[in-house]
Amino acid sequence: MTITMPKPGFGRFAHAAVSIVLALLIATGATACTPTTPDIAPYATATAGNPAFENTFRHEFAEVDGVRMHYVAGGSGSPVVLIHGWPQTWFGWWPIMPALAEQHTVYAIDLPGLGDSSGSPTGYDKATLARYVHTLIADRLGIRDARIVGHDFGAAVAFEYAAQFPADTALLGYLDLPLPGPAIDAATYRSLSWHIAFHSQRRVPEAVVGEHVREYLALFYPQVSYGGSAFGGTSDRSPFTDAEVDEFARTYSRPEVLTGGFELYRALDNDVRDTVAAAPTQVPTLLMTAQGQLDAVRATVSPRIANIVRAVDVPHAGHWLVEENPRFVTAELQRFLA
C-alpha cells in the first residue's frame, strides 16, 4: 500500500479555511437574524418617533407646475393652511400644530423652492408663490374654504392668496410682517434692518454665508427675538432649541434652498408693485405682531387688508411669535378660526 503524505502546511491551511467558512456562516446567520432599521427620509428626521406627530400627521408631496411641493397634513375639521417665512420651513409651526389639529385639518406647507419642496418656482414674489399654494390647496386638494395663516414673508403670501382668490379664502391670519406696498416702498423696506438690505444683494449673502449656514442662522434668530438687538435690546437668547436650529439648517444648507430664501428678499420691488395693484381684501383677518409692534405693522397692512376683525400684539414675543409664546398664539388662533 502506498501512503501519500500531505504536503507540509496543508493541514494548517485546511484548518484555517474551515475556520473562515464557519465564521462567515455565523456572521451571515447573525445578520439575517438581526432586525434592520428602515432608512428615515431626510424630511422625516425631525418628526421620527414623535407620537404627537405619528398619531396625527403625515408627510405628503404634490406636483405643482414643475415644483414638487412638500407639506404636512393632519387633524380633522375645517381646513387651516400654515405658510412659513424666512429662515424657517413648515416645522416652524410645529409648536402649535397638535393643538390646532384637535379642531381643524392642518396643512403646513414648504413654500416652492424652500424646505423639502424641490424645483424652482417661476418667481419668489409673493403673488407668484400664492398661486403655487392655491394650486396645491384648491386644485390638488380640492379645498375651497381655506383658513390661510402666514408668518413673516408667509404672511405676504397669505395676503396675496386672499387678494387673488377671495372666494376660496374663508379667513386670513396675518402674523408679524410689515406689508410691502402703498405704505412702504421697497427702498424704505430694505432700510428697516441690516439683514433685509444684505439678503437683497445678488450673490453676496451666498458668498458670505457659504457653508456656515447653521452658524449664521443660530446668530440671526436671537436678533429678532424678544429683547434682541433688532428691537433695541441686548438679549442674545434664542427661542429655538438646538434640534430646531439643526432642522432649519438641514434644508437651508442646500445651496438652491439658501438662494431661494434670499430670493424672497430680492423680490421686494415686485412685491410692492403687486400689493399696490391689488384690491383691498375683505376677508376677515386676524393680525398678530411682536410685542409693541402692532401699530407700526397695522399701518402698513390696513391699506390692503380692509377687514381686520381682531388685532393683538403677542406678550413677551419678538418676531418668533409661535416659538416665544405658543400658548397665546394658539388661543388667539383657535378663537379666530372657530
Side-chain angles (χ1 to χ4, degrees):
M1 178 184 296
T2 302
I3 300 175
T4 303
M5 298 297 292
K7 295 180 180 180
F10 178 80
R12 292 192 298 273
F13 172 79
H15 178 75
V18 171
S19 299
I20 292 172
V21 172
L22 288 173
L24 288 172
L25 289 172
I26 292 170
T28 303
T31 301
C33 295
T34 301
T36 57
T37 302
D39 292 336
I40 298 174
Y43 60 80
T45 54
T47 55
N50 185 336
F53 183 92
E54 294 178 347
N55 293 339
T56 305
F57 297 95
R58 64 192 183 277
H59 293 275
E60 298 282 358
F61 290 86
E63 296 292 331
V64 178
D65 298 335
V67 172
R68 186 171 185 250
M69 289 186 64
H70 170 249
Y71 63 97
V72 168
S76 60
S78 54
V80 176
V81 178
L82 304 175
I83 307 175
H84 69 86
W86 188 93
Q88 293 185 284
T89 65
W90 78 268
F91 193 60
W93 297 102
W94 177 242
I96 67 173
M97 284 173 61
L100 292 181
E102 293 175 3
Q103 300 172 346
H104 305 279
T105 305
V106 176
Y107 301 88
I109 70 169
D110 279 340
L111 285 170
L114 299 175
D116 286 292
S117 295
S118 56
S120 299
T122 56
Y124 285 88
D125 58 277
K126 312 314 171 285
T128 295
L129 295 179
R131 288 191 285 273
Y132 277 91
V133 177
H134 180 261
T135 299
L136 170 66
I137 298 301
D139 296 342
R140 300 292 185 272
L141 300 179
I143 297 169
R144 299 288 179 173
D145 60 341
R147 287 88 175 139
I148 304 294
V149 181
H151 172 250
D152 187 71
F153 279 132
V157 176
F159 158 73
E160 284 289 350
Y161 192 110
Q164 295 180 65
F165 311 105
D168 295 336
T169 311
L171 298 170
L172 171 63
Y174 190 98
L175 276 59
D176 206 55
L177 180 82
L179 180 63
I184 181 169
D185 61 25
T188 304
Y189 207 103
R190 285 188 282 267
S191 72
L192 294 177
S193 173
W194 69 269
H195 77 278
I196 301 176
F198 175 58
H199 295 166
S200 298
Q201 305 306 307
R202 297 291 175 187
R203 300 187 300 277
V204 174
E206 288 94 331
V208 172
V209 175
E211 298 180 354
H212 305 288
V213 172
R214 192 193 187 284
E215 293 85 346
Y216 184 69
L217 298 185
L219 289 170
F220 176 77
Y221 291 131
Q223 290 198 4
V224 293
S225 300
Y226 182 66
S229 58
F231 295 102
T234 58
S235 172
D236 59 358
R237 180 192 61 82
S238 173
F240 298 99
T241 66
D242 287 343
E244 289 169 333
V245 178
D246 288 343
E247 171 61 9
F248 295 134
R250 178 184 65 80
T251 60
Y252 283 99
S253 292
R254 290 159 49 201
E256 65 274 20
V257 175
L258 183 65
T259 292
F262 295 142
E263 289 294 337
L264 295 173
Y265 293 85
R266 293 167 184 155
L268 277 170
D269 290 278
N270 289 337
D271 293 336
V272 168
R273 179 202 64 206
D274 293 336
T275 307
V276 169
T281 177
Q282 299 293 330
V283 173
T285 301
L286 167 66
L287 172 64
M288 281 197 282
T289 72
Q291 179 173 311
Q293 300 300 307
L294 180 59
D295 290 342
V297 173
R298 178 158 45 188
T300 69
V301 304
S302 56
R304 286 298 178 269
I305 299 179
N307 189 13
I308 299 175
V309 298
R310 182 163 173 78
V312 295
D313 58 5
V314 180
H316 305 293
H319 181 58
W320 314 111
L321 309 183
V322 169
E323 290 80 8
E324 296 187 80
N325 200 337
R327 181 175 298 181
F328 183 91
V329 172
T330 300
E332 287 292 334
L333 282 173
Q334 287 176 328
R335 181 184 303 114
F336 175 68
L337 296 171

Short mmCIF file of all heavy atoms in Angstrom, two decimals, residues 274-323:
data_model
loop_
_atom_site.label_atom_id
_atom_site.label_comp_id
_atom_site.label_asym_id
_atom_site.label_seq_id
_atom_site.Cartn_x
_atom_site.Cartn_y
_atom_site.Cartn_z
N ASP A 274 -47.00 94.48 -6.83
CA ASP A 274 -48.19 93.62 -6.79
C ASP A 274 -49.17 94.06 -5.71
O ASP A 274 -50.40 94.02 -5.92
CB ASP A 274 -47.77 92.17 -6.54
CG ASP A 274 -47.01 91.58 -7.72
OD1 ASP A 274 -47.18 92.07 -8.85
OD2 ASP A 274 -46.21 90.65 -7.50
N THR A 275 -48.66 94.47 -4.55
CA THR A 275 -49.56 94.90 -3.48
C THR A 275 -50.26 96.20 -3.85
O THR A 275 -51.46 96.37 -3.57
CB THR A 275 -48.78 95.08 -2.17
OG1 THR A 275 -48.06 93.88 -1.87
CG2 THR A 275 -49.72 95.39 -1.01
N VAL A 276 -49.54 97.12 -4.47
CA VAL A 276 -50.16 98.37 -4.92
C VAL A 276 -51.28 98.08 -5.91
O VAL A 276 -52.34 98.73 -5.90
CB VAL A 276 -49.09 99.30 -5.52
CG1 VAL A 276 -49.74 100.48 -6.24
CG2 VAL A 276 -48.14 99.80 -4.44
N ALA A 277 -51.06 97.09 -6.77
CA ALA A 277 -52.05 96.78 -7.80
C ALA A 277 -53.23 95.99 -7.26
O ALA A 277 -54.29 95.95 -7.91
CB ALA A 277 -51.40 95.99 -8.93
N ALA A 278 -53.08 95.38 -6.11
CA ALA A 278 -54.13 94.52 -5.57
C ALA A 278 -55.27 95.35 -4.99
O ALA A 278 -55.06 96.42 -4.40
CB ALA A 278 -53.56 93.60 -4.49
N ALA A 279 -56.48 94.83 -5.13
CA ALA A 279 -57.63 95.46 -4.47
C ALA A 279 -57.62 95.08 -2.99
O ALA A 279 -57.18 93.98 -2.63
CB ALA A 279 -58.92 94.99 -5.12
N PRO A 280 -58.07 95.95 -2.13
CA PRO A 280 -58.15 95.60 -0.70
C PRO A 280 -59.00 94.36 -0.49
O PRO A 280 -60.07 94.21 -1.08
CB PRO A 280 -58.78 96.84 -0.06
CG PRO A 280 -58.46 97.95 -1.00
CD PRO A 280 -58.49 97.35 -2.38
N THR A 281 -58.51 93.44 0.33
CA THR A 281 -59.26 92.22 0.60
C THR A 281 -60.23 92.44 1.75
O THR A 281 -59.90 93.10 2.74
CB THR A 281 -58.32 91.05 0.92
OG1 THR A 281 -59.11 89.90 1.25
CG2 THR A 281 -57.41 91.36 2.10
N GLN A 282 -61.41 91.88 1.60
CA GLN A 282 -62.44 91.95 2.63
C GLN A 282 -62.51 90.67 3.46
O GLN A 282 -63.40 90.54 4.31
CB GLN A 282 -63.80 92.21 1.97
CG GLN A 282 -63.88 93.52 1.20
CD GLN A 282 -63.79 94.73 2.10
OE1 GLN A 282 -64.20 94.69 3.27
NE2 GLN A 282 -63.24 95.82 1.58
N VAL A 283 -61.60 89.76 3.25
CA VAL A 283 -61.59 88.52 4.02
C VAL A 283 -61.35 88.85 5.49
O VAL A 283 -60.44 89.61 5.83
CB VAL A 283 -60.49 87.57 3.50
CG1 VAL A 283 -60.36 86.34 4.42
CG2 VAL A 283 -60.79 87.13 2.07
N PRO A 284 -62.16 88.33 6.40
CA PRO A 284 -61.95 88.60 7.83
C PRO A 284 -60.55 88.18 8.27
O PRO A 284 -60.10 87.07 7.98
CB PRO A 284 -63.03 87.74 8.51
CG PRO A 284 -64.09 87.57 7.46
CD PRO A 284 -63.36 87.49 6.16
N THR A 285 -59.87 89.09 8.98
CA THR A 285 -58.44 88.91 9.24
C THR A 285 -58.11 89.07 10.72
O THR A 285 -58.62 89.98 11.39
CB THR A 285 -57.62 89.94 8.43
OG1 THR A 285 -57.88 89.76 7.03
CG2 THR A 285 -56.13 89.80 8.69
N LEU A 286 -57.23 88.18 11.18
CA LEU A 286 -56.60 88.31 12.49
C LEU A 286 -55.18 88.80 12.27
O LEU A 286 -54.41 88.20 11.52
CB LEU A 286 -56.57 86.96 13.20
CG LEU A 286 -55.67 86.86 14.45
CD1 LEU A 286 -56.18 87.75 15.57
CD2 LEU A 286 -55.54 85.41 14.90
N LEU A 287 -54.83 89.90 12.92
CA LEU A 287 -53.48 90.47 12.84
C LEU A 287 -52.77 90.26 14.17
O LEU A 287 -53.29 90.65 15.22
CB LEU A 287 -53.56 91.96 12.51
CG LEU A 287 -52.25 92.76 12.57
CD1 LEU A 287 -51.26 92.26 11.52
CD2 LEU A 287 -52.53 94.26 12.38
N MET A 288 -51.60 89.63 14.13
CA MET A 288 -50.78 89.44 15.33
C MET A 288 -49.36 89.91 15.04
O MET A 288 -48.82 89.63 13.96
CB MET A 288 -50.78 87.98 15.77
CG MET A 288 -52.00 87.55 16.53
SD MET A 288 -51.77 85.99 17.45
CE MET A 288 -51.93 84.83 16.11
N THR A 289 -48.78 90.59 16.03
CA THR A 289 -47.43 91.10 15.85
C THR A 289 -46.60 90.87 17.11
O THR A 289 -47.13 90.46 18.16
CB THR A 289 -47.43 92.61 15.57
OG1 THR A 289 -47.78 93.33 16.78
CG2 THR A 289 -48.42 92.98 14.47
N ALA A 290 -45.32 91.15 17.00
CA ALA A 290 -44.45 91.16 18.17
C ALA A 290 -44.93 92.22 19.15
O ALA A 290 -45.59 93.19 18.77
CB ALA A 290 -43.00 91.44 17.75
N GLN A 291 -44.58 92.02 20.41
CA GLN A 291 -44.99 92.99 21.43
C GLN A 291 -44.48 94.38 21.08
O GLN A 291 -43.32 94.57 20.76
CB GLN A 291 -44.46 92.58 22.80
CG GLN A 291 -44.83 93.56 23.91
CD GLN A 291 -44.43 93.06 25.29
OE1 GLN A 291 -44.71 91.92 25.65
NE2 GLN A 291 -43.75 93.91 26.04
N GLY A 292 -45.39 95.35 21.10
CA GLY A 292 -45.02 96.73 20.82
C GLY A 292 -44.99 97.12 19.36
O GLY A 292 -44.73 98.27 19.03
N GLN A 293 -45.27 96.16 18.45
CA GLN A 293 -45.17 96.45 17.01
C GLN A 293 -46.52 96.54 16.31
O GLN A 293 -46.58 96.73 15.10
CB GLN A 293 -44.33 95.35 16.35
CG GLN A 293 -42.91 95.24 16.87
CD GLN A 293 -42.12 96.52 16.67
OE1 GLN A 293 -42.05 97.05 15.56
NE2 GLN A 293 -41.54 97.03 17.74
N LEU A 294 -47.60 96.45 17.07
CA LEU A 294 -48.92 96.35 16.44
C LEU A 294 -49.25 97.57 15.60
O LEU A 294 -49.66 97.45 14.43
CB LEU A 294 -49.99 96.12 17.49
CG LEU A 294 -51.42 95.99 16.97
CD1 LEU A 294 -51.53 94.82 16.01
CD2 LEU A 294 -52.40 95.82 18.13
N ASP A 295 -49.09 98.77 16.15
CA ASP A 295 -49.48 99.97 15.42
C ASP A 295 -48.65 100.15 14.15
O ASP A 295 -49.19 100.53 13.10
CB ASP A 295 -49.35 101.20 16.32
CG ASP A 295 -50.40 101.22 17.42
OD1 ASP A 295 -51.42 100.50 17.30
OD2 ASP A 295 -50.19 101.94 18.43
N ALA A 296 -47.35 99.88 14.26
CA ALA A 296 -46.48 100.06 13.10
C ALA A 296 -46.83 99.09 11.98
O ALA A 296 -46.90 99.47 10.80
CB ALA A 296 -45.01 99.88 13.52
N VAL A 297 -47.06 97.83 12.32
CA VAL A 297 -47.40 96.85 11.29
C VAL A 297 -48.79 97.11 10.73
O VAL A 297 -49.01 97.03 9.52
CB VAL A 297 -47.29 95.42 11.86
CG1 VAL A 297 -47.81 94.40 10.85
CG2 VAL A 297 -45.84 95.10 12.23
N ARG A 298 -49.75 97.45 11.61
CA ARG A 298 -51.11 97.71 11.13
C ARG A 298 -51.12 98.87 10.13
O ARG A 298 -51.91 98.83 9.16
CB ARG A 298 -52.04 98.01 12.30
CG ARG A 298 -53.45 98.33 11.84
CD ARG A 298 -54.50 98.12 12.92
NE ARG A 298 -54.12 98.65 14.21
CZ ARG A 298 -54.81 98.45 15.34
NH1 ARG A 298 -55.92 97.73 15.30
NH2 ARG A 298 -54.41 98.95 16.49
N ALA A 299 -50.28 99.86 10.32
CA ALA A 299 -50.26 100.98 9.39
C ALA A 299 -49.85 100.55 7.99
O ALA A 299 -50.26 101.16 6.99
CB ALA A 299 -49.29 102.05 9.90
N THR A 300 -49.06 99.48 7.87
CA THR A 300 -48.64 99.02 6.55
C THR A 300 -49.65 98.07 5.91
O THR A 300 -49.69 97.97 4.68
CB THR A 300 -47.27 98.31 6.61
OG1 THR A 300 -47.40 97.07 7.31
CG2 THR A 300 -46.24 99.19 7.31
N VAL A 301 -50.44 97.38 6.71
CA VAL A 301 -51.37 96.40 6.14
C VAL A 301 -52.76 96.97 5.90
O VAL A 301 -53.48 96.49 5.01
CB VAL A 301 -51.47 95.13 7.03
CG1 VAL A 301 -50.10 94.52 7.25
CG2 VAL A 301 -52.15 95.42 8.35
N SER A 302 -53.15 97.97 6.67
CA SER A 302 -54.53 98.45 6.59
C SER A 302 -54.93 99.00 5.22
O SER A 302 -56.12 98.92 4.85
CB SER A 302 -54.80 99.50 7.68
OG SER A 302 -53.90 100.57 7.59
N PRO A 303 -54.00 99.55 4.39
CA PRO A 303 -54.45 99.97 3.07
C PRO A 303 -54.92 98.83 2.17
O PRO A 303 -55.64 99.06 1.21
CB PRO A 303 -53.20 100.65 2.48
CG PRO A 303 -52.41 101.10 3.67
CD PRO A 303 -52.62 100.02 4.68
N ARG A 304 -54.51 97.58 2.48
CA ARG A 304 -54.88 96.47 1.62
C ARG A 304 -55.63 95.35 2.36
O ARG A 304 -56.19 94.47 1.72
CB ARG A 304 -53.63 95.88 0.95
CG ARG A 304 -53.07 96.79 -0.16
CD ARG A 304 -54.09 96.95 -1.28
NE ARG A 304 -53.64 97.84 -2.35
CZ ARG A 304 -53.87 99.15 -2.38
NH1 ARG A 304 -54.54 99.73 -1.40
NH2 ARG A 304 -53.43 99.88 -3.39
N ILE A 305 -55.63 95.37 3.66
CA ILE A 305 -56.42 94.41 4.43
C ILE A 305 -57.49 95.20 5.15
O ILE A 305 -57.23 95.85 6.17
CB ILE A 305 -55.54 93.61 5.41
CG1 ILE A 305 -54.47 92.83 4.63
CG2 ILE A 305 -56.38 92.65 6.24
CD1 ILE A 305 -53.53 92.01 5.50
N ALA A 306 -58.68 95.15 4.59
CA ALA A 306 -59.72 96.10 4.99
C ALA A 306 -60.65 95.58 6.08
O ALA A 306 -61.48 96.33 6.58
CB ALA A 306 -60.54 96.50 3.77
N ASN A 307 -60.52 94.31 6.44
CA ASN A 307 -61.47 93.73 7.39
C ASN A 307 -60.72 93.03 8.52
O ASN A 307 -60.81 91.82 8.69
CB ASN A 307 -62.41 92.77 6.67
CG ASN A 307 -63.56 92.31 7.55
OD1 ASN A 307 -63.80 92.86 8.63
ND2 ASN A 307 -64.27 91.28 7.11
N ILE A 308 -59.96 93.82 9.29
CA ILE A 308 -59.23 93.28 10.43
C ILE A 308 -60.21 93.18 11.60
O ILE A 308 -60.62 94.19 12.18
CB ILE A 308 -58.02 94.16 10.80
CG1 ILE A 308 -57.05 94.23 9.62
CG2 ILE A 308 -57.32 93.62 12.05
CD1 ILE A 308 -55.88 95.19 9.84
N VAL A 309 -60.61 91.97 11.94
CA VAL A 309 -61.62 91.77 12.98
C VAL A 309 -61.00 91.68 14.37
O VAL A 309 -61.68 91.86 15.37
CB VAL A 309 -62.47 90.53 12.70
CG1 VAL A 309 -63.22 90.70 11.38
CG2 VAL A 309 -61.61 89.27 12.66
N ARG A 310 -59.71 91.36 14.43
CA ARG A 310 -59.00 91.35 15.70
C ARG A 310 -57.53 91.63 15.44
O ARG A 310 -56.94 91.09 14.51
CB ARG A 310 -59.17 90.03 16.44
CG ARG A 310 -58.46 90.00 17.81
CD ARG A 310 -58.97 88.87 18.68
NE ARG A 310 -58.22 88.73 19.92
CZ ARG A 310 -58.36 89.51 21.00
NH1 ARG A 310 -59.25 90.50 20.97
NH2 ARG A 310 -57.64 89.30 22.09
N ALA A 311 -56.93 92.48 16.29
CA ALA A 311 -55.53 92.83 16.16
C ALA A 311 -54.89 92.84 17.54
O ALA A 311 -55.37 93.53 18.45
CB ALA A 311 -55.38 94.20 15.50
N VAL A 312 -53.84 92.05 17.72
CA VAL A 312 -53.18 91.94 19.02
C VAL A 312 -51.69 91.84 18.82
O VAL A 312 -51.21 91.33 17.80
CB VAL A 312 -53.66 90.69 19.80
CG1 VAL A 312 -55.13 90.80 20.15
CG2 VAL A 312 -53.40 89.41 19.01
N ASP A 313 -50.93 92.38 19.80
CA ASP A 313 -49.52 92.02 19.84
C ASP A 313 -49.34 90.92 20.88
O ASP A 313 -50.12 90.80 21.83
CB ASP A 313 -48.60 93.22 20.07
CG ASP A 313 -48.88 93.97 21.35
OD1 ASP A 313 -49.74 93.53 22.13
OD2 ASP A 313 -48.23 94.99 21.59
N VAL A 314 -48.34 90.10 20.69
CA VAL A 314 -48.15 88.89 21.48
C VAL A 314 -47.23 89.21 22.65
O VAL A 314 -46.07 89.60 22.43
CB VAL A 314 -47.57 87.76 20.63
CG1 VAL A 314 -47.37 86.50 21.46
CG2 VAL A 314 -48.50 87.48 19.44
N PRO A 315 -47.70 89.07 23.88
CA PRO A 315 -46.87 89.43 25.03
C PRO A 315 -45.57 88.63 25.09
O PRO A 315 -45.56 87.42 24.81
CB PRO A 315 -47.77 89.10 26.23
CG PRO A 315 -49.16 89.06 25.68
CD PRO A 315 -49.03 88.59 24.27
N HIS A 316 -44.50 89.32 25.41
CA HIS A 316 -43.19 88.69 25.61
C HIS A 316 -42.73 87.91 24.38
O HIS A 316 -42.10 86.85 24.51
CB HIS A 316 -43.21 87.78 26.84
CG HIS A 316 -43.65 88.47 28.09
ND1 HIS A 316 -42.92 89.47 28.70
CD2 HIS A 316 -44.78 88.33 28.83
CE1 HIS A 316 -43.56 89.90 29.77
NE2 HIS A 316 -44.70 89.23 29.86
N ALA A 317 -43.07 88.42 23.22
CA ALA A 317 -42.64 87.78 21.98
C ALA A 317 -42.04 88.81 21.05
O ALA A 317 -42.58 89.91 20.89
CB ALA A 317 -43.82 87.08 21.30
N GLY A 318 -40.92 88.45 20.46
CA GLY A 318 -40.37 89.22 19.36
C GLY A 318 -40.99 88.70 18.06
O GLY A 318 -42.18 88.40 17.99
N HIS A 319 -40.14 88.54 17.05
CA HIS A 319 -40.65 88.14 15.75
C HIS A 319 -41.15 86.70 15.74
O HIS A 319 -42.06 86.35 14.98
CB HIS A 319 -39.54 88.30 14.70
CG HIS A 319 -39.94 87.94 13.32
ND1 HIS A 319 -40.99 88.53 12.65
CD2 HIS A 319 -39.42 87.03 12.45
CE1 HIS A 319 -41.11 88.03 11.45
NE2 HIS A 319 -40.17 87.10 11.29
N TRP A 320 -40.59 85.84 16.57
CA TRP A 320 -40.92 84.41 16.54
C TRP A 320 -42.12 84.15 17.44
O TRP A 320 -42.02 83.54 18.50
CB TRP A 320 -39.71 83.59 16.96
CG TRP A 320 -38.45 84.03 16.31
CD1 TRP A 320 -37.38 84.64 16.90
CD2 TRP A 320 -38.12 83.94 14.91
NE1 TRP A 320 -36.42 84.94 15.98
CE2 TRP A 320 -36.84 84.53 14.75
CE3 TRP A 320 -38.80 83.43 13.80
CZ2 TRP A 320 -36.22 84.60 13.50
CZ3 TRP A 320 -38.18 83.52 12.56
CH2 TRP A 320 -36.90 84.08 12.42
N LEU A 321 -43.29 84.58 16.99
CA LEU A 321 -44.49 84.53 17.82
C LEU A 321 -44.80 83.11 18.29
O LEU A 321 -45.12 82.90 19.46
CB LEU A 321 -45.68 85.08 17.03
CG LEU A 321 -45.53 86.44 16.36
CD1 LEU A 321 -46.85 86.84 15.70
CD2 LEU A 321 -45.08 87.50 17.34
N VAL A 322 -44.73 82.16 17.38
CA VAL A 322 -45.12 80.79 17.69
C VAL A 322 -44.18 80.18 18.72
O VAL A 322 -44.63 79.51 19.66
CB VAL A 322 -45.15 79.94 16.41
CG1 VAL A 322 -45.29 78.46 16.73
CG2 VAL A 322 -46.29 80.41 15.49
N GLU A 323 -42.90 80.39 18.56
CA GLU A 323 -41.93 79.80 19.48
C GLU A 323 -41.87 80.53 20.81
O GLU A 323 -41.65 79.92 21.86
CB GLU A 323 -40.53 79.78 18.86
CG GLU A 323 -40.36 78.81 17.70
CD GLU A 323 -40.91 79.35 16.39
OE1 GLU A 323 -41.30 80.54 16.34
OE2 GLU A 323 -40.98 78.58 15.41
#
